[in-house]
């Protein structure tokens, strides 16, 4: 008699791209939490956009190029030559732009979708540090010393503590090799944010991670209350990163490509 061969079905360790897209598009924010989410967006995320953008530029290696472009544009010697022979409509258009056209289009022209989105850094800052600029983006340890928790003994920036938020954030993002990503579509944004906390919710408990989905219909309960300790009845009190991004899209602050 032949033995029946048992086929072991291995559960995926993380959601697929299509699952992330569907969860996000089907996400309904708890209406009682909308005001709280909006306040976080206005008081912490949008207000610090330039700071997060500068970090993204440094990770991409653009921190030295942008000042050169800005200096070129601000020099009156070059401006007449640029537009003196252009139709009046062109000059009128550029005179109405509040920031110079080279500066405003710089990021798309140089790095395109390979650049870490500023809103990704903002969400990681919230989840790891509660927007505290005196903590490491790696794990929320204080900038007054090297990181203690995993990853320990960071950042590696050529000098000892204390560290600035920016230099430590650049180290954290490069350590995760986020600078090597060439397409920051929605699944990538959500997957890399979830990776900050790990995929234990999905893999071991079939629960959508509150790290992304808390404050929405995509999460009800279940939480790691300590390292390796899961409480099926505990409910996260922290808003999820995907929910923040969903609300930012609703308010047309951002749009994240699906593919």
């Amino acid at each position: 008699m032949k033995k029946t061969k048992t086929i072991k079905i291995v559960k995926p360790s993380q959601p697929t791209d299509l699952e992330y897209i569907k969860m996000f598009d089907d996400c309904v924010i708890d209406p009682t939490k909308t005001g709280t989410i909006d306040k976080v967006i206005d008081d912490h995320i949008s207000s610090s956009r330039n700071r997060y953008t500068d970090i993204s530029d440094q990770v991409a290696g653009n921190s030295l190029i942008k000042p050169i472009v800005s200096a070129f544009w601000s020099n009156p010697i070059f401006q007449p030559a640029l537009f003196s022979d252009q139709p009046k409509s062109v000059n009128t258009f550029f005179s109405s732009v509040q920031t110079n056209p080279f500066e405003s289009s710089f990021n798309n022209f140089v790095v395109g979708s390979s650049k870490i989105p500023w809103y990704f850094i903002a969400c990681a800052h919230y989840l790891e540090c509660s927007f505290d600029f005196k903590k490491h983006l790696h794990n929320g340890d204080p900038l007054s010393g090297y990181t203690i928790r995993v990853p320990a003994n960071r950042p590696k920036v050529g000098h000892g503590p204390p560290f600035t938020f920016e230099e430590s954030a650049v180290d954290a993002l490069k350590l995760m090799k986020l600078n090597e990503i060439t397409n920051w579509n929605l699944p990538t944004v959500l997957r890399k944010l979830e990776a900050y906390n790990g995929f234990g919710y999905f893999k071991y408990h079939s629960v959508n991670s509150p790290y992304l989905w808390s404050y929405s219909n995509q999460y009800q309960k279940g939480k790691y209350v300590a390292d390796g300790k899961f409480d099926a009845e505990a409910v996260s009190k922290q808003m999820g990163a995907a929910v923040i991004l969903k609300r930012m899209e609703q308010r047309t602050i951002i749009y994240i490509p699906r593919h």
Side-chain angles (χ1 to χ4, degrees):
M1 181 176 179
K2 289 185 178 181
K3 291 184 178 180
T4 303
K5 187 177 181 180
T6 302
I7 299 175
K8 184 178 181 181
I9 299 175
V10 179
K11 178 179 172 59
S13 61
Q14 55 191 252
T16 65
D17 284 7
L18 290 178
E19 285 173 332
Y20 271 126
I21 292 170
K22 180 170 176 52
M23 282 191 288
F24 190 85
D25 287 345
D26 292 346
C27 175
V28 177
I29 299 172
D30 182 344
T32 67
K33 304 292 187 182
T34 302
T36 300
I37 298 168
D38 282 344
K39 183 171 177 58
V40 164
I41 292 171
D42 295 336
D43 293 354
H44 297 284
I45 296 178
S46 294
S47 63
S48 298
R49 176 172 181 166
N50 289 342
R51 199 163 183 179
Y52 297 130
T53 300
D54 286 343
I55 292 169
S56 180
D57 287 337
Q58 291 180 49
V59 172
N62 299 331
S63 57
L64 295 178
I65 302 175
K66 284 187 73 175
I68 295 173
V69 174
S70 297
F72 175 85
W73 171 252
S74 62
N75 192 325
I77 295 175
F78 299 107
Q79 292 182 28
L82 286 171
F83 301 110
S84 59
D85 296 328
Q86 300 299 322
K88 183 177 179 181
S89 59
V90 175
N91 284 310
T92 301
F93 168 76
F94 281 112
S95 66
S96 68
V97 178
Q98 297 300 312
T99 57
N100 76 69
F102 296 115
E103 180 88 11
S104 61
S105 63
F106 175 83
N107 292 333
N108 290 333
F109 179 77
V110 176
V111 294
S113 62
S114 63
K115 181 179 173 183
I116 301 173
W118 68 272
Y119 48 80
F120 174 92
I121 301 173
C123 286
H125 190 207
Y126 165 64
L127 294 168
E128 294 298 319
C129 311
S130 298
F131 295 119
D132 191 338
F133 282 101
K134 295 181 180 179
K135 294 182 178 181
H136 290 287
L137 190 63
H138 304 75
N139 55 21
D141 287 342
L143 289 169
S144 55
Y146 289 103
T147 57
I148 298 173
R149 295 173 292 174
V150 177
N153 300 313
R154 305 298 301 194
K156 307 295 185 184
V157 293
H159 67 81
F163 306 102
T164 67
F165 176 77
E166 282 73 11
E167 64 185 346
S168 183
V170 169
D171 179 83
L173 297 168
K174 286 186 174 181
L175 182 64
M176 295 182 70
K177 298 184 178 181
L178 301 183
N179 56 309
E180 299 178 8
I181 294 174
T182 58
N183 183 11
W184 280 95
N185 57 21
L186 178 65
T188 298
V189 169
L190 299 182
R191 181 173 288 111
K192 293 304 179 181
L193 283 171
E194 188 166 353
Y196 249 98
N197 188 249
F199 296 96
Y201 287 100
F202 178 85
K203 186 175 181 179
Y204 301 116
H205 305 285
S206 298
V207 173
N208 292 335
S209 173
Y211 206 74
L212 292 182
W213 305 109
S214 181
Y215 285 26
S216 81
N217 63 324
Q218 301 291 15
Y219 169 79
Q220 282 76 44
K221 61 183 179 178
K223 186 179 185 304
Y224 280 98
V225 294
D227 288 345
K229 185 178 180 180
F230 180 79
D231 185 338
E233 297 302 318
V235 178
S236 175
K237 296 180 180 180
Q238 185 181 43
M239 68 185 72
V243 173
I244 293 173
L245 296 174
K246 178 79 174 188
R247 182 58 182 161
M248 290 177 74
E249 275 206 350
Q250 289 177 344
R251 294 177 57 185
T252 66
I253 297 172
I254 61 171
Y255 174 74
I256 310 173
R258 294 328 192 233
H259 302 283

